[in-house]
Amino acid sequence: MNDNQHRKLKGQTAIVTGASSGIGQAIAVALAESGANVTVNYHSDEAGAKETEARIEAVSGNCILVKGDIGKEHDVNRLFFQTREAFGDLHILISNAGIQKDSPFLEMSYADWDAVIKTNLYGAFMAANAAAKAFVGQELDEEVSKAAGKIVFISSVHDKIPWSGRVNYATSKGGTKMMMQSIAQELAPYKIRVNSISPGAIETPINEDQRDDEEEVRQMLAKIPYGRIGQPEEIGKAVCWLVSDEADYVTGATLYIDGGMTLYPSFGEG
Ligand code: BGC
């Protein structure tokens, strides 16, 4: 890869929500490696955010850390304010922050329903809203990016696969899908591209408990035709492409990165 290709996001600024671990951390590192200035947002895991920072420094990238709860309007506003203060214009939002609080529907508390919808859906709405407002208020510089702004929602295969015992999570992701498409339709005339990446089983803290149990791993792998769990870096690379000018004609799309999990694997034998 030549340096131009390597630093294809040079001069751009990105916010990654929930970037202290897992997929968010890998995305922040990948964007920084591609030349973008990155705001690493984290909720409470300061050690994780510092690890993201160290990994970004190791690839000669540039970042700031901003603590904040993406489900709270005040924190979201501060996140955008601090980013613009540090780096100027904003070009990319990766709405990644997400949580799971699983329980059977019959036992699900309102609090667990609320917490997941608040972070995964309200949070994604508020961040996207703040990003879009920033994008329309800026001057487009086609030397830096052909689009006026790019938003990527990190959704899930559960924006189309129903998931018992996780109605709060699956609802938040199904909602994200329709939100992404409606925003993409509305913002295309402003040259703002809006897309989703929907990962399947990726090796991150969110499914650590599932991966600790041999029987659960066997069940997980049975749902993945490609026969392995994915790595966070595989999402990071796809994000870098999706927000680059190479994908300038892509908007309103969902890219499933799931080793075939969405292919109804139980039908694999006819
Ligand atoms: C969930 C993981 C799960 C994966 C595949 C993700 O959205 O967060 O816990 O392993 O979907 O079911």
Side-chain angles (χ1 to χ4, degrees):
M1 230 194 284
N2 66 33
D3 198 53
N4 247 354
Q5 175 74 1
H6 198 63
R7 300 272 168 188
K8 65 184 171 198
L9 302 177
K10 198 168 181 302
Q12 301 196 42
T13 291
I15 293 176
V16 185
T17 67
S20 53
S21 70
I23 291 174
Q25 181 176 80
I27 292 170
V29 175
L31 289 171
E33 195 170 15
S34 294
N37 299 315
V38 178
T39 295
V40 173
N41 157 254
Y42 66 102
H43 176 238
S44 48
D45 179 7
E46 197 180 331
K50 291 234 162 92
E51 188 184 296
T52 308
E53 183 178 42
R55 286 185 58 191
I56 287 177
E57 280 166 3
V59 295
S60 310
N62 200 13
C63 72
I64 59 166
L65 310 186
V66 180
K67 182 174 161 69
D69 181 345
I70 219 63
K72 295 198 174 126
E73 194 178 356
H74 174 79
D75 288 17
V76 173
N77 288 339
R78 197 167 39 77
L79 171 64
F80 281 75
F81 180 79
Q82 283 184 228
T83 300
R84 290 169 67 105
E85 228 182 23
F87 300 127
D89 281 358
L90 178 72
H91 305 85
I92 299 162
L93 167 70
I94 312 299
S95 171
N96 166 79
I99 56 169
Q100 266 184 245
K101 284 183 181 289
D102 306 346
S103 74
F105 179 59
L106 294 175
E107 290 156 29
M108 187 170 285
S109 67
Y110 292 171
D112 281 357
W113 166 267
D114 227 51
V116 171
I117 299 292
K118 226 175 186 140
T119 300
N120 298 12
L121 194 55
Y122 280 39
F125 166 81
M126 286 192 287
N129 191 258
K133 283 177 179 153
F135 297 153
V136 298
Q138 295 168 180
E139 198 124 330
L140 174 62
D141 179 355
E142 288 205 30
E143 292 286 300
V144 176
S145 167
K146 284 189 186 158
K150 284 93 51 159
I151 297 172
V152 178
F153 294 105
I154 304 304
S155 182
S156 164
V157 290
H158 299 294
D159 62 13
K160 80 169 174 194
I161 304 178
W163 207 11
S164 76
R166 285 105 175 157
V167 62
N168 45 4
Y169 185 80
T171 302
S172 74
K173 297 303 185 180
T176 298
K177 177 170 186 276
M178 203 38 87
M179 179 168 71
M180 179 278 288
Q181 290 177 322
S182 302
I183 299 174
Q185 192 186 59
E186 194 169 330
L187 297 186
Y190 295 93
K191 297 206 77 182
I192 296 170
R193 298 195 292 111
V194 187
N195 294 286
S196 286
I197 286 184
S198 290
I202 308 292
E203 200 177 311
T204 73
I206 211 169
N207 55 22
E208 216 161 20
D209 292 352
Q210 268 176 297
R211 286 182 294 101
D212 273 354
D213 183 304
E214 233 175 80
E215 176 53 22
E216 286 207 47
V217 170
R218 200 193 55 73
Q219 284 179 16
M220 196 188 262
L221 288 174
K223 296 180 183 121
I224 310 171
Y226 207 61
R228 69 171 175 85
I229 292 170
Q231 292 303 313
E233 289 68 29
E234 298 182 277
I235 309 298
K237 290 196 179 104
V239 166
C240 287
W241 170 76
L242 193 51
V243 300
S244 77
D245 280 351
E246 289 166 15
D248 189 55
Y249 205 44
V250 184
T251 194
T254 299
L255 176 58
Y256 289 91
I257 305 183
D258 65 351
M261 192 178 246
T262 43
L263 297 174
Y264 300 95
S266 56
F267 282 82
E269 275 145 42

